Amino acid sequence: MAKLNFGGTEENVVTREEFPLSKAQEVLKDEVVAVIGYGVQGPGQALNQKDNGINVIVGQRKGTKTWDKAISDGFVPGETLFEIEEALEKGTVICYLLSDAAQIALWPTVKKHLTPGKALYFSHGFGITFNEQTGIVPPADVDVFLVAPKGSGTSLRRMFLQGRGLNSSYAIFQDATGKAFDRVIALGIAVGSGYLFETNFKKEVYSDLTGERGTLMGCVQGIFAAQYDVLRSHGHSPSEAFNETVEELTQSLMPLVAENGMDWMYANCSTTAQRGALDWWKKFRDATKPVFEELYESVATGKESQRSIDSNSQPDYREKLDAELKELRESELWQAGKTVRSLRPENQVVEA
């Protein structure tokens, strides 16, 4: 483990230099990693482990679209793809990657297969942190830990195939075997993490729920919609409003931030843009900080987790979700975006 300075604060991190893939393979050589759930995180984590030489199997319900997807991804029924209970029985490490609501529903089945010495692996601190709401309380004789990639399973897989890595947090909730640290770090490397930083289950879920509702998804959509609406109300065309609100940010400026940081992006923009950004960023910070404080309080008090459980457990959840996504998809903002994306040079069909 290395200690690195992050803006003046030292943190414990694990990199692939000090914990190479060969070490991860050695730690996991006698393990059977059972990935339960093949939806959002499951495919990326399972495929990356498989490509990294880990003995990984998938547990999924037969006859579902995700069962068929696992087959198309190369998992073989009866060899590396099993019904959930059979995978739970075979696995020595249970990667519990179902949705939070599905984890609650399946927990009684999972718990009975958590025999002494096994490991229960999460990629989210939700089930354990809010156990009064979820009922997820693991037995004392199994390791419990998490690796939480800081991005979607799709991004995890894409970056792995590009020879890159997605940063992940790790946490140990329960070390029953004395080997939890080596197991969790080995799995973090095996799923394709760039580096691993230390946290705990509560901090992971608090930061994750805040981020999803904030700058990663909820806040950014709200800001996009607000600026787009202002530009449209003042007579700007959909094309101009979308390009100035979304396209320039995602295609030009954010890659510069990713390369070297916000100050470097500012330095590589016009002096007029620099002046305006420096004058206005604190106003946006001060305007939105109370909303973020309210959001964090809602997460920490369990309001957000309870709303998520209540909503996502409803039998018509999927239909309601589809309706909300349809509203978003069919808004002028994102219909304009669809046309703009189709006009990118890489999406154009050029005849010879």
mmCIF file of all heavy atoms in Angstrom, residues 68-95:
data_model
loop_
_atom_site.group_PDB
_atom_site.id
_atom_site.type_symbol
_atom_site.label_atom_id
_atom_site.label_comp_id
_atom_site.label_asym_id
_atom_site.label_seq_id
_atom_site.Cartn_x
_atom_site.Cartn_y
_atom_site.Cartn_z
ATOM 1 N N ASP A 68 -29.303 -14.735 -21.700
ATOM 2 C CA ASP A 68 -28.901 -14.791 -23.109
ATOM 3 C C ASP A 68 -27.686 -13.902 -23.377
ATOM 4 O O ASP A 68 -26.807 -14.262 -24.163
ATOM 5 C CB ASP A 68 -30.065 -14.379 -24.015
ATOM 6 C CG ASP A 68 -31.229 -15.362 -23.950
ATOM 7 O OD1 ASP A 68 -30.999 -16.533 -23.564
ATOM 8 O OD2 ASP A 68 -32.361 -14.966 -24.280
ATOM 9 N N LYS A 69 -27.637 -12.744 -22.704
ATOM 10 C CA LYS A 69 -26.488 -11.853 -22.886
ATOM 11 C C LYS A 69 -25.211 -12.506 -22.368
ATOM 12 O O LYS A 69 -24.152 -12.413 -23.002
ATOM 13 C CB LYS A 69 -26.721 -10.523 -22.166
ATOM 14 C CG LYS A 69 -25.509 -9.590 -22.225
ATOM 15 C CD LYS A 69 -25.806 -8.226 -21.673
ATOM 16 C CE LYS A 69 -24.536 -7.395 -21.512
ATOM 17 N NZ LYS A 69 -23.719 -7.342 -22.742
ATOM 18 N N ALA A 70 -25.310 -13.174 -21.226
ATOM 19 C CA ALA A 70 -24.136 -13.863 -20.669
ATOM 20 C C ALA A 70 -23.636 -14.925 -21.643
ATOM 21 O O ALA A 70 -22.418 -15.090 -21.821
ATOM 22 C CB ALA A 70 -24.476 -14.475 -19.318
ATOM 23 N N ILE A 71 -24.551 -15.643 -22.289
ATOM 24 C CA ILE A 71 -24.148 -16.642 -23.285
ATOM 25 C C ILE A 71 -23.455 -15.968 -24.467
ATOM 26 O O ILE A 71 -22.396 -16.425 -24.933
ATOM 27 C CB ILE A 71 -25.374 -17.449 -23.765
ATOM 28 C CG1 ILE A 71 -25.906 -18.327 -22.627
ATOM 29 C CG2 ILE A 71 -25.014 -18.324 -24.971
ATOM 30 C CD1 ILE A 71 -27.208 -19.039 -22.953
ATOM 31 N N SER A 72 -24.033 -14.860 -24.944
ATOM 32 C CA SER A 72 -23.427 -14.155 -26.086
ATOM 33 C C SER A 72 -22.066 -13.581 -25.722
ATOM 34 O O SER A 72 -21.215 -13.379 -26.593
ATOM 35 C CB SER A 72 -24.357 -13.043 -26.581
ATOM 36 O OG SER A 72 -24.451 -11.994 -25.637
ATOM 37 N N ASP A 73 -21.834 -13.339 -24.421
ATOM 38 C CA ASP A 73 -20.539 -12.824 -23.959
ATOM 39 C C ASP A 73 -19.519 -13.936 -23.724
ATOM 40 O O ASP A 73 -18.388 -13.661 -23.320
ATOM 41 C CB ASP A 73 -20.717 -12.022 -22.668
ATOM 42 C CG ASP A 73 -21.333 -10.650 -22.910
ATOM 43 O OD1 ASP A 73 -21.327 -10.200 -24.074
ATOM 44 O OD2 ASP A 73 -21.794 -10.032 -21.939
ATOM 45 N N GLY A 74 -19.927 -15.189 -23.934
ATOM 46 C CA GLY A 74 -18.973 -16.280 -23.841
ATOM 47 C C GLY A 74 -19.086 -17.174 -22.631
ATOM 48 O O GLY A 74 -18.295 -18.115 -22.470
ATOM 49 N N PHE A 75 -20.066 -16.926 -21.757
ATOM 50 C CA PHE A 75 -20.268 -17.813 -20.611
ATOM 51 C C PHE A 75 -21.107 -19.013 -21.057
ATOM 52 O O PHE A 75 -22.068 -18.868 -21.811
ATOM 53 C CB PHE A 75 -20.916 -17.057 -19.452
ATOM 54 C CG PHE A 75 -19.993 -16.032 -18.839
ATOM 55 C CD1 PHE A 75 -20.053 -14.703 -19.222
ATOM 56 C CD2 PHE A 75 -19.030 -16.419 -17.913
ATOM 57 C CE1 PHE A 75 -19.188 -13.754 -18.682
ATOM 58 C CE2 PHE A 75 -18.156 -15.479 -17.371
ATOM 59 C CZ PHE A 75 -18.236 -14.147 -17.752
ATOM 60 N N VAL A 76 -20.728 -20.190 -20.583
ATOM 61 C CA VAL A 76 -21.297 -21.448 -21.087
ATOM 62 C C VAL A 76 -22.204 -22.082 -20.035
ATOM 63 O O VAL A 76 -21.755 -22.374 -18.914
ATOM 64 C CB VAL A 76 -20.172 -22.436 -21.465
ATOM 65 C CG1 VAL A 76 -20.762 -23.736 -21.987
ATOM 66 C CG2 VAL A 76 -19.233 -21.802 -22.486
ATOM 67 N N PRO A 77 -23.493 -22.305 -20.355
ATOM 68 C CA PRO A 77 -24.391 -22.945 -19.399
ATOM 69 C C PRO A 77 -23.847 -24.296 -18.929
ATOM 70 O O PRO A 77 -23.368 -25.099 -19.725
ATOM 71 C CB PRO A 77 -25.685 -23.129 -20.215
ATOM 72 C CG PRO A 77 -25.646 -22.036 -21.233
ATOM 73 C CD PRO A 77 -24.194 -21.905 -21.601
ATOM 74 N N GLY A 78 -23.887 -24.496 -17.625
ATOM 75 C CA GLY A 78 -23.405 -25.748 -17.052
ATOM 76 C C GLY A 78 -21.915 -25.777 -16.801
ATOM 77 O O GLY A 78 -21.410 -26.676 -16.119
ATOM 78 N N GLU A 79 -21.185 -24.780 -17.337
ATOM 79 C CA GLU A 79 -19.734 -24.695 -17.119
ATOM 80 C C GLU A 79 -19.357 -23.408 -16.383
ATOM 81 O O GLU A 79 -18.701 -23.445 -15.343
ATOM 82 C CB GLU A 79 -18.988 -24.782 -18.453
ATOM 83 C CG GLU A 79 -19.146 -26.121 -19.162
ATOM 84 C CD GLU A 79 -18.368 -26.169 -20.469
ATOM 85 O OE1 GLU A 79 -17.491 -25.299 -20.671
ATOM 86 O OE2 GLU A 79 -18.652 -27.064 -21.285
ATOM 87 N N THR A 80 -19.771 -22.283 -16.932
ATOM 88 C CA THR A 80 -19.466 -20.992 -16.303
ATOM 89 C C THR A 80 -20.722 -20.136 -16.107
ATOM 90 O O THR A 80 -20.627 -19.015 -15.617
ATOM 91 C CB THR A 80 -18.450 -20.198 -17.144
ATOM 92 O OG1 THR A 80 -18.925 -20.093 -18.499
ATOM 93 C CG2 THR A 80 -17.086 -20.871 -17.120
ATOM 94 N N LEU A 81 -21.879 -20.676 -16.491
ATOM 95 C CA LEU A 81 -23.149 -19.969 -16.324
ATOM 96 C C LEU A 81 -24.156 -20.913 -15.674
ATOM 97 O O LEU A 81 -24.391 -22.015 -16.192
ATOM 98 C CB LEU A 81 -23.673 -19.483 -17.680
ATOM 99 C CG LEU A 81 -25.060 -18.817 -17.708
ATOM 100 C CD1 LEU A 81 -25.086 -17.567 -16.841
ATOM 101 C CD2 LEU A 81 -25.453 -18.484 -19.144
ATOM 102 N N PHE A 82 -24.724 -20.467 -14.545
ATOM 103 C CA PHE A 82 -25.607 -21.338 -13.769
ATOM 104 C C PHE A 82 -26.817 -20.555 -13.271
ATOM 105 O O PHE A 82 -26.809 -19.320 -13.223
ATOM 106 C CB PHE A 82 -24.857 -21.913 -12.556
ATOM 107 C CG PHE A 82 -23.622 -22.692 -12.899
ATOM 108 C CD1 PHE A 82 -22.377 -22.066 -12.945
ATOM 109 C CD2 PHE A 82 -23.701 -24.050 -13.172
ATOM 110 C CE1 PHE A 82 -21.228 -22.785 -13.259
ATOM 111 C CE2 PHE A 82 -22.556 -24.778 -13.489
ATOM 112 C CZ PHE A 82 -21.321 -24.147 -13.537
ATOM 113 N N GLU A 83 -27.852 -21.308 -12.895
ATOM 114 C CA GLU A 83 -28.939 -20.699 -12.154
ATOM 115 C C GLU A 83 -28.357 -20.111 -10.858
ATOM 116 O O GLU A 83 -27.320 -20.567 -10.355
ATOM 117 C CB GLU A 83 -30.003 -21.738 -11.820
ATOM 118 C CG GLU A 83 -30.829 -22.201 -13.009
ATOM 119 C CD GLU A 83 -32.041 -21.310 -13.285
ATOM 120 O OE1 GLU A 83 -32.144 -20.222 -12.663
ATOM 121 O OE2 GLU A 83 -32.871 -21.704 -14.114
ATOM 122 N N ILE A 84 -29.030 -19.122 -10.299
ATOM 123 C CA ILE A 84 -28.475 -18.362 -9.180
ATOM 124 C C ILE A 84 -28.094 -19.257 -7.992
ATOM 125 O O ILE A 84 -26.982 -19.155 -7.457
ATOM 126 C CB ILE A 84 -29.449 -17.253 -8.742
ATOM 127 C CG1 ILE A 84 -29.500 -16.161 -9.813
ATOM 128 C CG2 ILE A 84 -29.035 -16.659 -7.395
ATOM 129 C CD1 ILE A 84 -30.511 -15.065 -9.561
ATOM 130 N N GLU A 85 -28.966 -20.135 -7.578
ATOM 131 C CA GLU A 85 -28.661 -20.949 -6.392
ATOM 132 C C GLU A 85 -27.475 -21.865 -6.618
ATOM 133 O O GLU A 85 -26.660 -22.083 -5.716
ATOM 134 C CB GLU A 85 -29.891 -21.755 -5.961
ATOM 135 C CG GLU A 85 -30.892 -20.925 -5.176
ATOM 136 C CD GLU A 85 -31.462 -21.676 -3.986
ATOM 137 O OE1 GLU A 85 -30.690 -22.219 -3.178
ATOM 138 O OE2 GLU A 85 -32.692 -21.708 -3.882
ATOM 139 N N GLU A 86 -27.342 -22.408 -7.811
ATOM 140 C CA GLU A 86 -26.211 -23.285 -8.088
ATOM 141 C C GLU A 86 -24.904 -22.492 -8.074
ATOM 142 O O GLU A 86 -23.879 -22.963 -7.560
ATOM 143 C CB GLU A 86 -26.394 -23.986 -9.433
ATOM 144 C CG GLU A 86 -25.369 -25.092 -9.671
ATOM 145 C CD GLU A 86 -25.648 -25.925 -10.901
ATOM 146 O OE1 GLU A 86 -26.676 -25.694 -11.582
ATOM 147 O OE2 GLU A 86 -24.816 -26.813 -11.195
ATOM 148 N N ALA A 87 -24.951 -21.268 -8.625
ATOM 149 C CA ALA A 87 -23.754 -20.416 -8.605
ATOM 150 C C ALA A 87 -23.395 -20.029 -7.179
ATOM 151 O O ALA A 87 -22.215 -20.000 -6.801
ATOM 152 C CB ALA A 87 -23.984 -19.169 -9.456
ATOM 153 N N LEU A 88 -24.410 -19.746 -6.358
ATOM 154 C CA LEU A 88 -24.162 -19.406 -4.951
ATOM 155 C C LEU A 88 -23.506 -20.560 -4.207
ATOM 156 O O LEU A 88 -22.627 -20.361 -3.373
ATOM 157 C CB LEU A 88 -25.475 -19.027 -4.266
ATOM 158 C CG LEU A 88 -26.075 -17.670 -4.628
ATOM 159 C CD1 LEU A 88 -27.498 -17.556 -4.093
ATOM 160 C CD2 LEU A 88 -25.221 -16.530 -4.097
ATOM 161 N N GLU A 89 -23.923 -21.754 -4.526
ATOM 162 C CA GLU A 89 -23.352 -22.940 -3.883
ATOM 163 C C GLU A 89 -21.907 -23.149 -4.304
ATOM 164 O O GLU A 89 -21.042 -23.478 -3.486
ATOM 165 C CB GLU A 89 -24.189 -24.164 -4.235
ATOM 166 C CG GLU A 89 -23.747 -25.429 -3.517
ATOM 167 C CD GLU A 89 -24.640 -26.627 -3.837
ATOM 168 O OE1 GLU A 89 -25.680 -26.442 -4.484
ATOM 169 O OE2 GLU A 89 -24.271 -27.744 -3.427
ATOM 170 N N LYS A 90 -21.619 -22.958 -5.583
ATOM 171 C CA LYS A 90 -20.273 -23.193 -6.112
ATOM 172 C C LYS A 90 -19.289 -22.095 -5.718
ATOM 173 O O LYS A 90 -18.095 -22.344 -5.549
ATOM 174 C CB LYS A 90 -20.328 -23.298 -7.642
ATOM 175 C CG LYS A 90 -21.019 -24.543 -8.171
ATOM 176 C CD LYS A 90 -21.067 -24.516 -9.700
ATOM 177 C CE LYS A 90 -21.740 -25.760 -10.261
ATOM 178 N NZ LYS A 90 -20.953 -26.987 -9.980
ATOM 179 N N GLY A 91 -19.771 -20.870 -5.577
ATOM 180 C CA GLY A 91 -18.872 -19.736 -5.374
ATOM 181 C C GLY A 91 -18.247 -19.689 -3.994
ATOM 182 O O GLY A 91 -18.906 -19.957 -2.984
ATOM 183 N N THR A 92 -16.965 -19.328 -3.945
ATOM 184 C CA THR A 92 -16.310 -19.046 -2.670
ATOM 185 C C THR A 92 -16.285 -17.540 -2.411
ATOM 186 O O THR A 92 -16.160 -17.106 -1.275
ATOM 187 C CB THR A 92 -14.864 -19.586 -2.650
ATOM 188 O OG1 THR A 92 -14.113 -18.963 -3.708
ATOM 189 C CG2 THR A 92 -14.849 -21.096 -2.828
ATOM 190 N N VAL A 93 -16.380 -16.762 -3.482
ATOM 191 C CA VAL A 93 -16.566 -15.315 -3.394
ATOM 192 C C VAL A 93 -17.871 -15.001 -4.111
ATOM 193 O O VAL A 93 -18.024 -15.307 -5.296
ATOM 194 C CB VAL A 93 -15.414 -14.531 -4.049
ATOM 195 C CG1 VAL A 93 -15.710 -13.025 -4.016
ATOM 196 C CG2 VAL A 93 -14.085 -14.825 -3.362
ATOM 197 N N ILE A 94 -18.805 -14.404 -3.391
ATOM 198 C CA ILE A 94 -20.100 -14.052 -3.975
ATOM 199 C C ILE A 94 -20.090 -12.570 -4.307
ATOM 200 O O ILE A 94 -20.111 -11.717 -3.413
ATOM 201 C CB ILE A 94 -21.266 -14.350 -3.001
ATOM 202 C CG1 ILE A 94 -21.193 -15.798 -2.498
ATOM 203 C CG2 ILE A 94 -22.598 -14.037 -3.662
ATOM 204 C CD1 ILE A 94 -21.234 -16.845 -3.581
ATOM 205 N N CYS A 95 -20.015 -12.249 -5.604
ATOM 206 C CA CYS A 95 -20.079 -10.855 -6.057
ATOM 207 C C CYS A 95 -21.552 -10.487 -6.203
ATOM 208 O O CYS A 95 -22.201 -10.868 -7.190
ATOM 209 C CB CYS A 95 -19.360 -10.681 -7.393
ATOM 210 S SG CYS A 95 -17.570 -10.816 -7.285
#
